[in-house]
């Protein structure tokens, strides 16, 4: 085994144990085929919009039990070395690597998971709630136990075949569920373990949350490749090598190669772009930065001599590009009835000239789409039939045909009844389509909205752009006050779509999507509590909620979802998903896309090795969904400088 020279010096000085004692008995060996043996040393300079931005957390996969591999086509070990389940997938046993350590050298054990589960999730006063993967198909919490220091058992009252997919997503402890916490450090701040801490969680909780946040508190141990060294709010964050990181390269050399990572906070996107062009950063993920898009590629290439940054284009895996969807539960009843008429939405989709958006926003890349989840999802790659399902959904209402759109509107009574050149509601009332979006949203969404406005006004529909204060957005959307969402995209959709099904079916916890009040009602659907709500105003309930029309598209989607999520056989599960997609075709579109799978911009310094290129990756990259954490899935701990001395 080998290690960084700076760590070897600490071993010689007696400040660290030997590397063999710091690594687990069987370290995780990074498996990527494009790797070359690296050199230790140097600094990596990154940029984010703020010091509390989630962007940098997407660089480190260290807390994850299981990992995505091959652009999410496969799942492999992480902290968990192996696992098994029975035929019905209702019980899962996970075996962790013996000899894991936190970054301060303390042993990691399954007790750190049970501490999170019992003393944080199980504490009603604590903000952590049970993540999706801890509930069965009936919504009941799993039984979680740790028979020993390296074994974890999850038992469900129904089959739970999606469990490994849930555990692979996100960067746990950074963006997704925590799943573990350093008990040896945090118990001193927890009232259940320290009598000196106030029993009132309102008093004790603030300090506990600060202490557990390893992205702000340098004293908090972590399992990531780099640990926090210093935090200057609003300015800069510095990470240093974790001497106990549990991963090695294929030659058995402990990772990471790079000594330190410095993340600068730059709030102004234009300032960030100028600094990028001047070579102030070594790696930039355009999606995470929120600033670099395809429109910047030309200027970035023109400044390559100064910046030394190569422009890499990876597939986004995106299913929509900038999308549009109505609020299916819009408060005003006449407009809501029209929104729920699929012919109205189909007419609007046919009126949208996506070719213009593809040229103006996406520079003739990607593929025009009515709107789906990611074309890279496993159920779309399962066989030829699966590919046909995807294409049928993608192409269902994608063809631009203003005359067909007008004919459909005439058919449903959306006509110009007063002769002013603008169509009215079926009852003769004024019809205005409002394109709602958070004020300050990025230019590509605004550009798409302007195209929608132009195309829809061409067929006689009055359309208005409506920027909304961002702070009011969520409350107004959940209350049915906003008519539409126009500044989102289906960023990917994880490979097993039922792990993140909110785009496919309205569910509790995901009210931000196209049927927010239905999503809230799903929490009590088919329970005794549902009867208590009947006869009350849906918009006055807490939270506001609407039950689905019997036999309607949402009820059918819910029924299929309940059947699919507990199906252990993958192909039978996919078949249920495809039935759900048929509802999206026949009764949709519930959301409208523009261009799918366009490229994302990735910038990497020409001297930074082991950053994969498009051709190295199984699906040409997959950097849309946050839950397929990019670049963490490609292990930045393996990146190295070909000339480390020039980057210190």
């Amino acid at each position: 085994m080998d290690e960084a020279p700076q760590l070897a010096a600490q071993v010689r000085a007696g400040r660290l144990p030997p590397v063999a004692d710091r690594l687990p008995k069987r370290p995780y060996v990074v498996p990527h085929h494009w790797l070359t043996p690296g050199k230790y040393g140097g600094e990596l300079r990154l940029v984010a919009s703020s010091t509390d931005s989630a962007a940098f957390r997407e660089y480190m996969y260290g807390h994850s039990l299981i990992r995505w591999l091959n652009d999410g086509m496969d799942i492999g070990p992480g902290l968990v070395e192996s696992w098994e389940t029975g035929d019905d997938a209702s019980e899962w046993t996970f075996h962790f690597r013996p000899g894991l350590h936190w970054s301060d050298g303390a042993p990691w054990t399954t007790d750190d998971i049970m501490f999170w589960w019992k003393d944080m999730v199980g504490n009603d006063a604590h903000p952590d709630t049970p993540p999706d993967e801890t509930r069965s198909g009936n919504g009941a919490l799993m039984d979680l136990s740790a028979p020993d220091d390296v074994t974890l058992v999850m038992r469900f009252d129904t089959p739970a075949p999606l469990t490994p997919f849930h555990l692979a997503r996100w960067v746990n402890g950074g963006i997704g569920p925590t799943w573990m916490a350093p008990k040896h450090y945090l118990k001193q701040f927890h009232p259940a373990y320290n009598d000196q801490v106030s029993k009132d969680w309102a008093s004790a909780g603030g300090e506990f949350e600060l202490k557990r946040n390893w992205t702000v508190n340098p004293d908090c141990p972590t399992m990531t490749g780099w640990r926090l060294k210093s935090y200057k709010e609003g300015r800069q964050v510095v990470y240093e090598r974790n001497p106990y990181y549990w991963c090695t390269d294929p030659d058995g050399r402990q990772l990471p190669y790079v000594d330190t990572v410095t993340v600068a906070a730059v709030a102004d996107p234009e300032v960030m772009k100028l600094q990028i062009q001047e070579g102030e950063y070594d790696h930039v993920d355009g999606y995470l930065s929120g600033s670099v898009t395809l429109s910047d590629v030309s200027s970035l290439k023109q400044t390559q001599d100064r910046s030394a940054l190569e422009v890499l284009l990876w597939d986004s895996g995106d299913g929509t590009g900038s999308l549009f969807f109505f609020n299916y539960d819009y408060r005003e009843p006449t407009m809501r009835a029209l929104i729920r008429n699929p012919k109205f939405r189909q007419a609007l989709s046919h009126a949208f000239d996506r070719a213009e958006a593809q040229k103006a926003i996406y520079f003739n890349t990607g593929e025009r789409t009515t709107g789906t989840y990611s074309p890279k999802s496993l159920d779309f790659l399962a066989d030829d039939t699966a590919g046909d399902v995807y294409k049928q959904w993608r192409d269902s209402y994608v063809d631009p045909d203003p005359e067909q759109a007008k004919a459909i509107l005439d058919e449903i009574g959306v006509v110009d009844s007063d002769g002013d050149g603008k169509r009215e509601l079926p009852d003769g009332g004024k019809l205005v389509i409002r394109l709602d979006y958070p004020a300050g949203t990025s230019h590509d969404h605004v550009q798409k909205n302007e195209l929608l406005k132009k195309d829809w006004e061409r067929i006689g529909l009055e359309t208005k752009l409506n920027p909304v204060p961002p702070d009011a957005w969520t409350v107004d959307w959940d209350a049915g006050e906003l008519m539409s969402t126009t500044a989102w995209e289906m960023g990917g959709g994880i490979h097993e779509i039922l792990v993140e099904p909110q785009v496919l079916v309205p569910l509790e916890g995901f009210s931000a999507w196209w049927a927010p009040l239905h999503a809230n009602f799903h929490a009590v659907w088919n329970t005794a509590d549902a009867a208590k709500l009947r006869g009350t105003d849906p918009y006055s309930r807490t939270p506001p909620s609407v039950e689905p029309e019997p036999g309607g598209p949402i009820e059918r989607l819910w029924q299929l979802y309940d059947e699919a999520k507990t199906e252990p056989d993958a192909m039978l599960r996919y078949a249920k998903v495809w039935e759900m997609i048929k509802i999206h075709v026949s009764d949709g579109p519930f959301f409208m896309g523009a261009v799918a799978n366009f490229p994302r911009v990735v910038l990497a310094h020409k001297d930074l090795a082991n950053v994969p290129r498009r051709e190295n990756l199984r699906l040409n990259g997959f950097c849309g969904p946050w839950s397929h954490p990019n670049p963490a899935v490609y292990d930045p701990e393996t990146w190295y400088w070909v000339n480390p001395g020039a980057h210190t």
Side-chain angles (χ1 to χ4, degrees):
M1 293 181 178
D2 198 2
E3 62 184 319
Q6 64 174 213
L7 298 184
Q10 293 182 51
V11 173
R12 291 192 297 271
R15 295 195 298 270
L16 273 180
V19 63
D21 295 339
R22 302 197 311 269
L23 285 168
K25 185 177 180 181
R26 289 177 294 276
Y28 178 79
V29 179
V30 178
H32 310 307
H33 64 84
W34 63 81
L35 299 181
T36 58
K39 300 177 182 178
Y40 288 112
E43 174 193 27
L44 184 65
R45 302 171 302 164
L46 306 176
V47 63
S49 58
S50 67
T51 48
D52 63 353
S53 167
F56 179 64
R57 299 171 209 168
E58 288 280 283
Y59 277 77
M60 294 194 288
Y61 218 0
H63 289 99
S64 294
L65 281 65
I66 295 172
R67 296 181 169 215
W68 294 115
L69 293 172
N70 300 321
D71 282 352
M73 291 292 289
D74 300 305
I75 293 177
L79 289 167
V80 168
E81 188 173 31
S82 64
W83 63 92
E84 65 262 359
T85 187
D87 291 341
D88 71 348
S90 64
E91 180 174 318
W92 293 83
T93 302
F94 299 93
H95 305 284
F96 289 81
R97 300 175 188 278
L100 290 163
H101 294 85
W102 290 96
S103 58
D104 62 355
W108 183 100
T109 73
T110 50
D111 201 30
D112 295 307
I113 290 180
M114 299 308 295
F115 173 66
W116 163 76
W117 181 246
K118 292 180 178 179
D119 295 303
M120 294 162 68
V121 175
N123 181 345
D124 291 340
H126 192 276
D128 274 21
T129 57
D132 297 339
E133 58 265 37
T134 64
R135 293 192 180 276
S136 72
N138 293 328
L141 277 181
M142 67 177 178
D143 175 69
L144 184 67
S145 62
D148 56 51
D149 286 350
V150 293
T151 307
L152 196 71
V153 179
M154 300 167 64
R155 296 183 179 90
F156 299 88
D157 65 358
T158 67
L162 300 173
T163 298
F165 298 97
H166 278 291
L167 295 178
R169 64 184 181 142
W170 306 111
V171 282
N172 290 336
I175 296 175
T178 300
W179 259 103
M180 67 193 68
K183 181 178 180 179
H184 70 283
Y185 170 73
L186 288 176
K187 65 182 182 181
Q188 62 183 308
F189 310 109
H190 197 295
Y193 294 87
N194 186 347
D195 291 338
Q196 302 304 309
V197 175
S198 171
K199 301 299 181 184
D200 179 9
W201 194 260
S203 301
E207 183 180 18
F208 183 85
E209 293 307 300
L210 176 63
K211 296 297 186 182
R212 73 179 279 217
N213 188 348
W214 60 271
T215 66
V216 172
N217 175 22
D219 294 331
C220 183
T222 179
M223 299 297 290
T224 52
W226 293 278
R227 63 186 182 185
L228 185 64
K229 181 179 181 181
S230 65
Y231 178 86
K232 298 178 181 178
E233 186 172 358
R235 294 174 55 199
Q236 186 186 79
V237 184
V238 179
Y239 290 83
E240 63 184 357
R241 176 184 286 105
N242 172 5
Y244 292 89
Y245 190 50
W246 46 279
C247 302
T248 73
D249 70 10
D251 295 326
R253 304 167 73 216
Q254 188 187 30
L255 298 171
Y257 291 131
V258 171
D259 292 338
T260 60
V261 180
T262 300
V263 188
V266 181
D268 188 317
E270 295 307 313
V271 172
M272 184 186 295
K273 288 180 187 178
L274 288 173
Q275 291 177 346
I276 289 169
Q277 293 173 6
E278 292 301 316
E280 296 190 24
Y281 307 112
D282 304 315
H283 184 273
V284 180
D285 184 293
Y287 185 43
L288 296 180
S289 73
S291 298
V292 180
T293 66
L294 290 172
S295 63
D296 300 308
V297 168
S298 177
S299 59
L300 289 167
K301 287 188 173 181
Q302 291 172 10
T303 57
Q304 278 181 315
D305 288 344
R306 290 202 309 274
S307 70
L309 293 173
E310 294 185 51
V311 178
L312 312 178
L313 297 176
W314 291 356
D315 279 5
S316 62
D318 195 298
T320 61
S322 179
L323 58 69
F324 164 91
F325 55 85
F326 281 114
N327 191 329
Y328 199 79
D329 300 321
Y330 186 53
R331 179 183 286 265
E332 200 285 309
T334 307
M335 187 64 194
R336 181 173 69 245
L338 184 60
I339 287 171
R340 291 186 180 179
N341 186 332
K343 288 186 177 294
F344 178 63
R345 302 191 305 275
Q346 291 163 14
L348 267 59
S349 185
H350 280 305
F352 180 23
D353 185 358
R354 292 168 171 87
E356 190 172 1
Q358 186 177 35
K359 179 180 180 180
I361 304 172
Y362 301 103
F363 297 86
N364 288 322
T365 62
E367 55 191 55
R368 294 192 291 275
T369 181
T370 297
T372 72
Y373 52 80
S374 176
K376 296 178 183 288
S377 291
L378 287 175
D379 58 289
F380 288 147
L381 302 173
D383 57 23
D384 292 341
T385 301
D388 291 341
V389 171
Y390 166 68
K391 291 174 183 176
Q392 289 167 12
W393 191 10
R394 179 195 66 188
D395 299 340
S396 51
Y397 306 104
V398 77
D399 291 335
D401 192 336
E403 295 308 312
Q404 183 181 4
K406 291 177 185 177
I408 295 173
L409 293 175
D410 290 344
E411 176 190 344
I412 62 176
V414 180
V415 298
D416 178 11
S417 55
D418 61 9
D420 67 350
K422 299 175 182 177
R423 295 175 183 266
E424 278 74 49
L425 291 163
D427 66 357
K430 185 175 179 63
L431 170 58
V432 178
I433 297 175
R434 206 172 61 232
L435 299 177
D436 300 321
Y437 59 92
T441 197
S442 61
H443 177 67
D444 54 340
H445 295 303
V446 175
Q447 194 175 4
K448 179 264 304 177
N449 293 344
E450 291 169 344
L451 294 175
L452 287 179
K453 174 179 169 63
K454 182 190 71 172
D455 288 344
W456 290 347
E457 290 188 335
R458 186 170 57 172
I459 61 170
L461 295 170
E462 184 174 355
T463 307
K464 292 186 176 180
L465 302 179
N466 183 45
V468 176
D471 292 344
W473 182 272
T474 300
V475 173
D476 289 351
W477 182 261
D478 289 349
E481 301 287 351
L482 296 174
M483 184 183 291
S484 67
T485 285
T486 66
W488 270 21
E489 57 189 75
M490 183 54 206
I494 206 64
H495 277 314
E496 271 279 355
I497 190 61
L498 295 177
V499 173
E500 290 182 357
Q502 59 268 31
V503 64
L504 193 64
V505 53
L507 298 172
E508 69 272 19
F510 299 113
S511 60
W513 274 90
W514 49 273
L517 276 72
H518 278 82
N520 289 334
F521 189 84
H522 186 262
V524 299
W525 183 56
N526 285 339
T527 72
D529 290 336
K532 300 175 184 177
L533 295 175
R534 294 195 179 102
T536 63
D537 176 16
Y539 296 89
S540 298
R541 297 169 182 169
T542 305
S545 64
V546 170
E547 58 189 302
E549 175 188 353
I554 291 180
E555 184 180 74
R556 285 159 29 223
L557 286 169
W558 284 356
Q559 290 167 345
L560 286 165
Y561 171 71
D562 281 353
E563 296 169 10
K565 67 184 178 182
T566 58
E567 174 53 64
D569 184 288
M571 291 307 298
L572 294 178
R573 189 164 65 245
Y574 298 159
K576 294 290 185 183
V577 171
W578 299 339
E579 289 299 314
M580 297 170 76
I581 288 172
K582 289 179 182 178
I583 295 173
H584 275 257
V585 173
S586 62
D587 294 70
F590 297 107
F591 58 95
M592 298 181 207
V595 174
N597 204 29
F598 57 89
R600 291 281 188 197
V601 180
V602 177
L603 306 173
H605 195 287
K606 63 182 180 62
D607 294 334
L608 189 62
N610 279 346
V611 179
R613 271 44 179 176
R614 176 186 175 90
E615 60 271 17
N616 298 136
L617 303 173
R618 175 80 171 271
L619 299 176
N620 300 319
F622 189 25
C623 51
W626 285 75
S627 49
H628 178 259
N630 166 64
V633 290
Y634 308 115
D635 291 284
E637 295 84 1
T638 64
W639 300 352
Y640 69 92
W641 291 110
V642 296
N643 49 353
H647 298 278
T648 56

